[in-house]
């Protein structure tokens, strides 16, 4: 479906929703999702009130919205690993337990008063305003959940403490030109974010998590075949100068179709990004849970929003890892010709025992879940 707007916004917003982006708003507005994302459905089904965060959404240099609780309702990402650690484990690393309890009680009192005032207001609102108010109240209830969840569980749980972040040890110039708020280099922040994600699952602080990575203009920690730091060239925009130029779609006309140096750089960047996925899997596999590991009990989905830099939606690669408690069959290479990815999203629901007949656009669910994924 052809739609106006930035292709990356549209593809990212569609990837876990399975519906075209909604109309309205600026053409580049990434918030106009057509519905809720698959993680939202799964989190609602498998999370009980004792869990602090119904779902955890993290990002490192990630500009695109991916997760939604409803149409045009994006879920904000946490972009600072220490903010994640403080949110999930701050109460458990703070020695002043009495002070923490008082702070929780004070916050809860504020929430109680807010909800009471809003409930009386609701009766005087239009139907549309009530819908928006209900969405706001849902976010308030999520805060209440975090305040009331004060038990850390998990046999291999090790609550994290904040760590030193920021400058890459490979950065040649200590300036902040290419930093991304909150002032870190991704080679430092990404493993820290993965550690926080894994610990949140091991401690049962959440049961659903997403992590999005974006491009950098300078990859301080990577060198190409000529031993030069991998970086943007003509315009200072990596995505335009290298990714699009290699595929012949550079906006500045600086095309280098098939250039072997650009291919080398792309492969090295891709290898690093995949190494972060491998690091996530290794961390999950290192944590014992029941008779197996955390990875044995998880389903992990790794994806890119496009099949190639030409913004194609054909032949999009997906990697599914983990066994989800014995439901999934790993070690397969499967190819589907022209099948909509809604079938994969529907398979994710089936993995967690959710029997909805469709997900996203019903017309794109075809023959239903991908049965080959299951044992």
């Amino acid at each position: 479906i052809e739609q106006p707007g930035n292709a990356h916004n549209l593809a990212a917003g569609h990837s876990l929703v399975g519906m075209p982006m909604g109309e309205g708003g600026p053409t580049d507005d990434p918030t106009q999702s057509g519905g809720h994302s698959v993680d939202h459905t799964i989190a609602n089904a498998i999370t009980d009130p004792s869990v602090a965060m119904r779902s955890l959404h993290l990002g490192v240099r990630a500009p695109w919205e991916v997760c939604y609780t409803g149409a045009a309702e994006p879920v904000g990402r946490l972009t600072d690993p220490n903010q994640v650690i403080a949110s999930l484990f701050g109460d458990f690393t703070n020695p002043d337990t009495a002070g923490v309890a008082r702070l929780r009680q004070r916050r809860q009192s504020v929430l109680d008063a807010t909800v009471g005032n809003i409930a009386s207001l609701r009766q005087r609102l239009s139907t549309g305003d009530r819908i928006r108010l209900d969405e706001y109240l849902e976010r308030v209830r999520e805060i209440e959940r975090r305040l009331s969840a004060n038990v850390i569980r998990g046999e291999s749980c090790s609550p994290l403490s904040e760590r030193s972040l920021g400058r890459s040890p490979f950065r040649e110039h200590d300036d902040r030109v290419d930093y991304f708020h909150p002032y870190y280099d991704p080679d430092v922040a990404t493993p820290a974010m993965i550690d926080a994600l894994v610990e949140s699952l091991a401690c049962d602080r959440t049961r659903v998590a997403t992590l999005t990575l974006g491009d950098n203009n300078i990859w301080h920690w990577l060198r190409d075949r000529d031993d030069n730091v991998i970086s943007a060239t003509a315009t200072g925009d990596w995505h335009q100068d290298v990714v699009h130029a290699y595929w012949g779609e550079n906006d500045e006309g600086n095309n280098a179709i098939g250039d072997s140096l650009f291919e080398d750089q792309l492969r090295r960047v891709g290898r690093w990004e995949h190494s972060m996925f491998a690091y996530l899997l290794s961390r999950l596999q290192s944590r014992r849970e029941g008779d197996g590991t955390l990875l044995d009990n998880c389903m992990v989905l790794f994806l890119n929003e496009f099949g190639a830099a030409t913004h194609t939606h054909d032949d999009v690669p997906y990697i599914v890892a983990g066994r989800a408690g014995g439901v999934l069959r790993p070690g397969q290479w499967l190819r589907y010709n022209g099948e909509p990815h809604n079938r994969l999203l529907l398979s994710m629901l089936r993995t967690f025992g959710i029997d909805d007949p469709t997900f996203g656009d019903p017309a794109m669910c075809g023959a239903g879940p991908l049965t080959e994924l299951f044992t």
Side-chain angles (χ1 to χ4, degrees):
I1 298 176
E2 293 295 330
Q3 292 182 284
N6 184 292
H8 293 272
N9 288 353
L10 296 171
H14 171 268
S15 60
L16 296 182
V17 174
M19 294 180 68
M21 295 288 271
E23 297 179 358
T27 56
D28 265 1
D29 188 352
T31 68
Q32 303 299 312
S33 162
H36 65 273
S37 50
V38 68
D39 56 282
H40 181 67
T41 299
I42 294 172
N44 284 340
I46 69 173
T47 308
D48 62 58
S50 66
V51 177
M53 301 185 77
R54 179 159 43 192
S55 55
L56 183 65
H57 303 287
L58 313 175
V60 178
R61 281 194 83 95
W64 316 121
E65 302 290 355
V66 176
C67 301
Y68 297 82
T69 58
E73 291 294 332
V75 180
R77 294 182 301 277
L78 298 173
T79 59
D80 181 350
N82 281 332
Q83 180 185 5
V84 179
I85 292 170
S87 298
L88 291 169
F89 306 109
D91 291 358
F92 302 92
T93 57
N94 189 336
D96 183 12
T97 54
V100 168
R102 288 193 298 271
L103 178 60
R104 281 186 173 185
Q105 183 60 46
R106 187 160 60 250
R107 289 173 177 171
Q108 187 65 58
S109 297
V110 172
L111 288 173
D112 290 342
T114 301
V115 172
N117 293 335
I118 291 177
S120 62
L121 171 65
R122 190 177 189 277
Q123 300 175 4
R124 303 192 298 272
L125 297 178
S126 66
T127 301
D129 287 340
R130 285 181 183 178
I131 292 174
R132 285 187 286 272
L133 181 61
D134 287 343
E135 291 167 349
Y136 170 76
L137 289 175
E138 180 62 28
R139 283 169 166 72
V140 172
R141 280 189 285 271
E142 192 66 23
I143 297 174
E144 290 180 310
R145 173 197 295 273
R146 297 177 194 176
L147 290 175
S148 62
N150 56 5
V151 178
I152 281 190
R153 297 173 295 186
E155 59 191 86
S156 62
C157 172
S158 301
L160 297 176
S161 299
E162 293 187 9
R163 60 181 65 187
S164 297
L165 297 169
R167 182 180 183 273
S168 167
F170 300 98
R171 179 183 280 273
E172 296 178 352
H173 302 287
D174 192 14
D175 56 61
R176 293 186 173 186
V177 174
D178 195 52
Y179 275 130
F180 191 75
H181 182 77
Y183 302 126
Y184 55 58
D185 280 317
D187 63 316
V188 176
T190 306
M193 202 67 97
I194 290 173
D195 290 344
L197 186 158
V198 170
E199 208 61 52
S200 70
L201 295 174
C203 295
D204 202 28
R205 300 297 281 167
T206 192
R207 296 178 183 177
V208 176
T210 61
L211 172 61
T212 52
L213 304 181
D215 279 342
N216 307 285
N217 289 325
I218 303 176
W219 306 81
H220 296 278
W221 59 99
L222 298 177
R223 292 183 174 271
D224 62 22
R225 69 186 186 192
D226 297 330
D227 200 34
N228 294 317
V229 173
I230 295 177
S231 65
T233 54
T235 70
D237 184 334
W238 162 267
H239 193 69
Q240 292 296 332
D241 291 346
V242 179
V243 181
H244 278 238
Y246 177 78
W247 291 96
E249 294 212 348
N250 184 275
D251 290 347
E252 306 297 325
N254 180 31
N255 294 336
I257 301 175
D259 182 276
S260 61
L261 178 59
F262 283 4
E263 180 177 355
D264 172 76
Q265 293 174 341
L266 288 168
R267 288 185 180 276
R268 290 172 188 254
V269 167
R271 189 177 300 124
W272 178 79
E273 290 174 335
H274 282 76
S275 77
M276 291 296 95
F277 178 60
Y279 177 70
L280 169 62
L281 299 185
S282 68
R283 296 287 288 116
L284 290 170
Q285 192 170 35
S286 70
R287 311 307 292 272
R288 300 299 305 175
E289 187 173 77
D291 294 331
T293 68
L294 196 54
L295 180 59
D296 290 330
N297 293 324
C298 285
M299 178 183 191
V300 188
L301 176 66
F302 181 65
L303 62 91
N304 188 295
E305 72 265 34
F306 294 120
T310 51
H311 296 164
T312 176
H313 297 284
D314 300 323
D315 295 326
V316 178
Y318 297 89
I319 300 176
V320 177
R323 297 178 181 272
V327 175
L328 296 175
R329 179 186 299 139
Q332 303 182 84
W333 175 274
L334 302 172
R335 184 176 182 86
Y336 297 92
N337 295 315
E339 290 293 327
H341 84 292
N342 292 59
R343 295 188 63 193
L344 175 59
L345 301 180
L346 195 56
S347 300
M348 296 177 69
L349 298 187
R350 289 292 190 280
T351 299
F352 293 93
I354 304 168
D355 294 325
D356 294 353
T358 63
F359 183 81
D361 186 345
M364 292 294 172
C365 292
L370 305 173
T371 56
E372 297 85 355
L373 293 177
F374 305 110
T375 55

